[in-house]
Amino acid sequence: MSAIRTVTKYVDDARVIYKALNGVVVLYKPPVLHFNNVRETVISNLCRELNDMHTRPPMKHVAIEGETNKPMKVVVRNSLADHPLVIGPRYQPNDFRMGATKIMQKDVSGVLVCGINAGNQLIHKIKTSQSLRFYKIKGLLGEATDNYFHTGKVVEKSTYAHVRRGHIDKLCSSMQSTHQRKMFELCGVDIQSQAAYELAVKGLLRPTDSNIPMIYTVKCVDFSPPEFMLEVVCTNETDLYLKATIHDLGLKLRSNATCTQVLCIQDGLFNIKHALLTKHWTLQNIVTNIQMCQNVINQNEHILHQKNPALIEPNNYIDTIE
Amino acid sequence: MTSRLYTLLRLKSCNTKEIKNCIVQNVNCIIENSKLSYCSSANILKDKATNINDKSKNVMLNNIGYEKSTGNVLARDNKNNIYNDTVTQVTKSDGNELKRPCNIEFLEKNIYKIDNALEEVDEKLPGPFDQCNEDLSHIGPYITGTYNFAKFANDSHTIQQLVKLGVELYKIESDREVLEMFLKLDFERDMKPYIQFLYNCGVSSENLGFFITRFPKIFKEDIDDLHTRIRYLRAHDFNITMIQTIVNKHPPWLAFKTQEIDHRLGYFQNNFELNGSQVRNLAVKCPKLITYDMKRIRHSSFAIKEEMGFTKLEIYRILHKAPRVLIRARTEVVKTFDYLHNQMNLSHDIISQEPIVLLCRKKRLEVRHRFLVELKKDQHDPTKPLYVSPLCLVRGSDDEFCEKIAKTSIYTYNDFLRTF
């Protein structure tokens, strides 16, 4: 907010910037790339740009020269053993650690919350707080593949002319209610107890087990046969779980359906609008993004220390730094 | 005793033969002595030792005599005598434990002899507080194992010169063979002729570092061979600027034998039906292609001919404008072509007019094409107005694309990119 004053200073020393590269950054992960490729690209970009700046000068080499039976000379010169041409560039991929709240598979695209260096501790806390993720999932009616995604081999085909919007809506709401009932079973208390009642009063709950996928909302946002789009709010999900949901939906519709796109539009507090596109994975953009994410985290301390099993409305004001 | 012997060895290297004998005797004696110490009492030993002292002194005097007079023959005789004595005495004492003490005589004799030898040596052993007036700068610790050049960088003249040339040593040190070779070479003697040769070939001084980084094994090649390889190019009507470009662009070219290069140029000439000047242009435009893995070239040319179905003229156009298509991974080229031909409905002819699009990633092509489809600007027919050529589609940054082709704001395009 306006109370926080930022001090801007221009630097060209790589050492200062390397120290500033600690924190959470939000990236947009394109489809086809695996998380490991994303990490490799980001880190190599960072290394290249840091190496292009003013880096640490070579260490001094003290040499004592001359014959031992005569007065000897002490010479101090730049050590060649520390020359970038001999030992390689100053910043190397090994100098960076990068983790994410969720390891995204090839088929999934969208928001990827990553931590760079010391930011990995924050990432771990965010991960354990089981934040919600919002997905847009596209489906294609009429065919089924062996890996539930459109890249796979088609194993089944069927007609879809009988499918109406109402059918999908009905199935979505029944899916949602089933999952919400399961939510109370997964919260870890006896369903007949007073504690369960008090939890239920609070509204939606997080599951205690971080391995069980939990869907809070499913709704159809677009239907233009043979394509349709679902919006899903969930936690602890896997890409295969979402794809299988589409597949099951297709079977319940007396037809078949394949998933064509899984796009994560929000992960916890971080929206796709703040995510950096592939072409923006540069040092300057990443540093700016780290600052922005730090502001967001400072305003929403609850995502780091989860005290309550109920879902909390996030402090939606996200101040973007232009 | 052994330590004494050791000092003797170091001091008087000229008497090695004698000393060897001494060692043989001593070792014999030590063995005998050790056996004895089990069997007989220590007193006897001591008594015998004192008796022997007198005898051994005589021997010692003899020794001094012939060392000074350099009577080698005498010395040997005497040695032999001593040795024979030991042998006879050992044989006598064999199996008889009581007579064993005889051997101790020899043991003691030898000690005296060594002491004596030490006295004889004129060089005085330096004490700990003596001043040393020698130049000891060449003495240093042993070189231990290493896996990179950094260890030698401050001492080796060769490596310092290579750094000045701009050779990226960290890139080539992973090859152990190269590492060992570079450390053995002397810059002035072994490297200068090659660098002179490269300079004559037209490698500019700024480019020398790049050249050696890419092709460090040039120093292993015979310089006459390298001359032959350049002469081969000259003989086939490559002019000097052409040779310069080839050598600057693709240093490993010089690693190939003339027969090999000849075979490959011939392959391209026959397989794609090119004439002489076309082959030369190809070699200059993309020298990497000529020296590339033949198996992969065969696979790519098969893909272009059979999988994608280009005609001979179209293949020639591709080779002429974008020879890297043959180097790019076959599967990727096929994916790009598939999108161009089947999704965008471009004919073979249009693609071969601008074959650089085949080098574009399918992802980039797809995103931009779909954006134009959204804007209804995907007009790829050159006979109609508002034509968008495939080259314009893939060339330039996103800003340029939005400004010139799509004519929208870059923010719209960025938002569009986020929907994939």
Side-chain angles (χ1 to χ4, degrees):
Chain A
M1 300 219 192
S2 59
I4 303 163
R5 278 178 56 206
T6 52
V7 182
T8 320
K9 188 185 162 194
Y10 292 99
V11 284
D12 59 352
D13 190 353
R15 283 173 285 182
V16 179
I17 294 175
Y18 179 74
K19 277 179 198 159
L21 275 173
N22 292 310
V24 175
V25 63
V26 187
L27 305 176
Y28 167 79
K29 189 194 93 73
V32 181
L33 284 185
H34 191 266
F35 170 69
N36 293 354
N37 303 104
V38 173
R39 178 167 59 187
E40 217 171 86
T41 317
V42 170
I43 289 178
S44 68
N45 283 1
L46 288 177
C47 290
R48 194 183 52 241
E49 292 198 38
L50 283 176
N51 288 323
D52 286 346
M53 302 170 89
H54 288 283
T55 49
R56 176 173 67 79
M59 287 190 288
K60 297 289 174 195
H61 179 247
V62 183
I64 303 169
E65 289 174 348
E67 293 177 12
T68 47
N69 47 6
K70 286 170 192 159
M72 297 172 79
K73 269 193 293 184
V74 178
V75 191
V76 181
R77 55 169 88 94
N78 283 340
S79 173
L80 271 171
D82 200 31
H83 195 282
L85 282 177
V86 180
I87 54 157
R90 289 278 181 260
Y91 294 94
Q92 305 208 342
N94 280 346
D95 296 331
F96 293 93
R97 285 179 299 127
M98 190 168 152
T101 50
K102 185 160 175 49
I103 304 298
M104 278 188 161
Q105 299 300 318
K106 270 186 174 181
D107 306 326
V108 189
S109 59
V111 183
L112 181 67
V113 183
C114 298
I116 296 178
N117 287 353
N120 282 311
Q121 291 156 14
L122 288 176
I123 284 292
H124 183 68
K125 284 180 182 170
I126 295 172
K127 207 197 259 172
T128 46
S129 77
Q130 295 182 5
S131 53
L132 292 187
R133 291 195 195 89
F134 295 64
Y135 282 91
K136 273 186 176 173
I137 308 166
K138 268 189 190 167
L140 183 75
L141 286 170
E143 60 181 44
T145 53
D146 55 350
N147 63 356
Y148 302 151
F149 204 63
H150 71 289
T151 51
K153 202 165 77 183
V154 178
V155 290
E156 224 174 296
K157 278 193 175 180
S158 55
T159 56
Y160 52 85
H162 60 278
V163 180
R164 299 276 174 274
R165 170 86 188 234
H167 297 128
I168 295 189
D169 285 342
K170 216 193 311 183
L171 274 174
C172 285
S173 50
S174 88
M175 221 192 289
Q176 188 177 327
S177 62
T178 323
H179 271 100
Q180 289 199 357
R181 203 176 66 228
K182 204 178 79 181
M183 173 180 78
F184 293 111
E185 289 165 14
L186 292 177
C187 68
V189 289
D190 182 11
I191 200 92
Q192 297 294 337
S193 63
Q194 176 67 20
Y197 171 73
E198 276 163 16
L199 281 177
V201 164
K202 283 177 187 163
L204 299 173
L205 304 174
R206 293 185 179 92
T208 42
D209 190 342
S210 63
N211 293 320
I212 299 170
M214 177 71 225
I215 292 180
Y216 293 97
T217 321
V218 193
K219 65 180 178 206
C220 178
V221 289
D222 181 35
F223 182 70
S224 51
E227 287 180 348
F228 63 97
M229 198 198 276
L230 298 186
E231 204 173 83
V232 177
V233 182
C234 53
T235 184
N236 300 337
E237 82 296 337
T238 60
D239 61 326
L240 195 66
Y241 185 77
L242 296 172
K243 287 178 206 165
T245 310
I246 294 281
H247 182 82
D248 293 344
L249 194 79
L251 291 177
K252 291 275 178 201
L253 289 166
R254 309 268 188 275
S255 178
N256 287 116
T258 328
C259 184
T260 51
Q261 188 192 54
V262 185
L263 175 69
C264 178
I265 51 169
Q266 193 169 342
D267 182 345
L269 301 166
F270 304 103
N271 196 293
I272 197 164
K273 278 180 197 157
H274 312 117
L276 294 176
L277 288 167
T278 320
K279 59 181 170 182
H280 294 144
W281 292 348
T282 55
L283 185 62
Q284 196 179 354
N285 283 317
I286 286 176
V287 170
T288 323
N289 201 284
I290 285 176
Q291 278 178 5
M292 187 210 75
C293 292
Q294 195 56 51
N295 282 355
V296 172
I297 292 170
N298 290 343
Q299 285 162 28
N300 297 278
E301 287 286 334
H302 62 84
I303 67 158
L304 300 182
H305 325 282
Q306 182 197 358
K307 291 168 194 157
N308 202 331
L311 296 178
I312 300 170
E313 186 78 15
N315 185 358
N316 249 337
Y317 181 78
I318 292 176
D319 186 19
T320 49
I321 301 164
E322 294 297 331
Chain B
M1 184 187 280
T2 43
S3 64
R4 278 189 197 177
L5 266 173
Y6 183 59
T7 48
L8 186 72
L9 273 169
R10 290 194 61 180
L11 286 171
K12 278 228 133 182
S13 53
C14 53
N15 286 343
T16 44
K17 271 183 188 169
E18 201 180 312
I19 291 155
K20 266 184 201 164
N21 284 331
C22 283
I23 295 167
V24 171
Q25 287 167 13
N26 280 321
V27 170
N28 280 338
C29 298
I30 290 163
I31 297 162
E32 295 296 328
N33 191 12
S34 59
K35 275 185 191 168
L36 191 90
S37 57
Y38 287 112
C39 313
S40 56
S41 67
N43 285 336
I44 303 165
L45 270 171
K46 274 180 187 171
D47 288 343
K48 291 281 169 186
T50 43
N51 289 334
I52 295 153
N53 278 348
D54 297 329
K55 289 178 189 172
S56 56
K57 269 175 190 168
N58 293 328
V59 184
M60 182 186 81
L61 282 169
N62 280 338
N63 278 340
I64 298 162
Y66 54 69
E67 266 177 27
K68 278 179 180 170
S69 59
T70 65
N72 277 333
V73 187
L74 251 173
R76 266 184 206 155
D77 287 346
N78 208 354
K79 267 274 134 224
N80 288 338
N81 285 338
I82 295 168
Y83 195 67
N84 286 338
D85 281 352
T86 49
V87 174
T88 48
Q89 280 177 356
V90 169
T91 46
K92 274 178 196 167
S93 61
D94 240 356
N96 193 350
E97 284 185 7
L98 279 173
K99 280 194 175 181
R100 281 254 168 107
C102 298
N103 279 313
I104 298 162
E105 286 180 31
F106 283 93
L107 183 73
E108 298 298 329
K109 262 182 201 168
N110 285 326
I111 286 171
Y112 273 91
K113 211 172 144 192
I114 289 156
D115 282 348
N116 175 45
L118 273 177
E119 279 164 23
E120 262 313 296
V121 175
D122 282 341
E123 287 171 29
K124 221 179 78 189
L125 277 176
F129 298 107
D130 289 350
Q131 259 207 335
C132 174
N133 292 323
E134 262 180 278
D135 178 20
L136 299 174
S137 58
H138 59 280
I139 297 175
Y142 289 115
I143 297 165
T144 48
T146 181
Y147 54 89
N148 60 10
F149 284 113
K151 191 165 194 172
F152 307 98
N154 284 318
D155 308 318
S156 160
H157 176 68
T158 314
I159 287 167
Q160 287 168 8
Q161 294 299 316
L162 288 175
V163 170
K164 277 180 195 165
L165 284 176
V167 181
E168 287 164 301
L169 290 167
Y170 68 96
K171 279 189 182 166
I172 54 179
E173 74 195 5
S174 55
D175 189 346
R176 201 187 142 169
E177 210 181 311
V178 174
L179 187 87
E180 282 171 1
M181 181 188 74
F182 269 36
L183 292 175
K184 278 177 199 159
L185 293 180
D186 180 55
F187 186 77
E188 303 293 334
R189 193 189 65 221
D190 303 321
M191 288 188 170
K192 267 209 171 150
Y194 287 92
I195 289 166
Q196 183 65 43
F197 164 78
L198 289 179
Y199 188 77
N200 294 342
C201 285
V203 181
S204 57
S205 48
E206 310 90 67
N207 216 6
L208 271 174
F210 168 76
F211 190 99
I212 298 171
T213 312
R214 288 291 313 281
F215 182 33
K217 286 183 183 170
I218 189 178
F219 300 112
K220 261 191 174 174
E221 305 278 342
D222 188 30
I223 198 125
D224 293 332
D225 284 353
L226 294 174
H227 277 295
T228 320
R229 283 163 203 178
I230 295 293
R231 270 203 302 276
Y232 170 83
L233 290 177
R234 287 293 290 153
H236 285 75
D237 278 353
F238 283 85
N239 64 28
I240 289 166
T241 43
M242 278 170 154
I243 295 173
Q244 263 181 23
T245 0
I246 289 176
V247 174
N248 275 315
K249 250 189 187 174
H250 189 59
W253 177 287
L254 288 178
F256 285 79
K257 287 178 184 160
T258 46
Q259 293 95 325
E260 186 69 12
I261 291 281
D262 191 55
H263 170 244
R264 280 161 184 244
L265 289 175
Y267 171 83
F268 279 96
Q269 188 158 17
N270 295 330
N271 208 26
F272 300 105
E273 294 175 15
L274 309 173
N275 61 29
S277 71
Q278 284 167 344
V279 172
R280 278 190 286 279
N281 285 336
L282 179 68
V284 173
K285 180 140 194 192
C286 193
K288 192 181 172 185
L289 179 66
I290 307 292
T291 59
Y292 206 60
D293 184 11
M294 286 308 277
K295 203 175 160 190
R296 289 188 68 173
I297 289 175
R298 266 184 229 117
H299 281 229
S300 319
S301 49
F302 175 80
I304 288 173
K305 252 184 220 163
E306 311 293 336
E307 270 187 83
M308 304 182 208
F310 285 104
T311 60
K312 265 177 195 164
L313 182 71
E314 287 161 354
I315 293 173
Y316 167 67
R317 278 200 219 129
I318 292 173
L319 265 187
H320 179 66
K321 281 192 178 169
R324 291 189 70 86
V325 172
L326 283 174
I327 294 177
R328 197 180 173 215
R330 197 192 82 211
T331 47
E332 296 296 309
V333 177
V334 171
K335 269 185 205 163
T336 308
F337 174 80
D338 183 47
Y339 194 81
L340 283 167
H341 189 64
N342 296 329
Q343 307 285 324
M344 289 165 67
N345 297 321
L346 296 178
S347 67
H348 283 89
D349 187 43
I350 289 181
I351 296 173
S352 68
Q353 299 277 348
E354 277 155 359
I356 293 175
V357 285
L358 286 175
L359 295 174
C360 176
R361 257 182 244 163
K362 188 202 158 198
K363 185 82 205 137
R364 180 185 170 93
L365 190 70
E366 189 185 353
V367 167
R368 287 188 175 190
H369 175 68
R370 277 169 71 169
F371 188 55
L372 288 187
V373 171
E374 289 287 319
L375 297 170
K376 299 196 174 89
K377 283 181 181 170
D378 56 327
Q379 209 286 89
H380 298 301
D381 186 351
T383 55
K384 289 179 188 164
L386 294 173
Y387 166 64
V388 177
S389 83
L391 187 61
C392 291
L393 190 67
V394 297
R395 198 171 45 187
S397 67
D398 283 353
D399 290 304
E400 285 167 23
F401 169 73
C402 286
E403 194 187 320
K404 285 177 187 160
I405 313 291
K407 304 210 167 55
T408 47
S409 107
I410 182 78
Y411 299 107
T412 322
Y413 183 62
N414 285 348
D415 284 346
F416 180 75
L417 284 178
R418 287 196 176 98
T419 60
F420 279 93

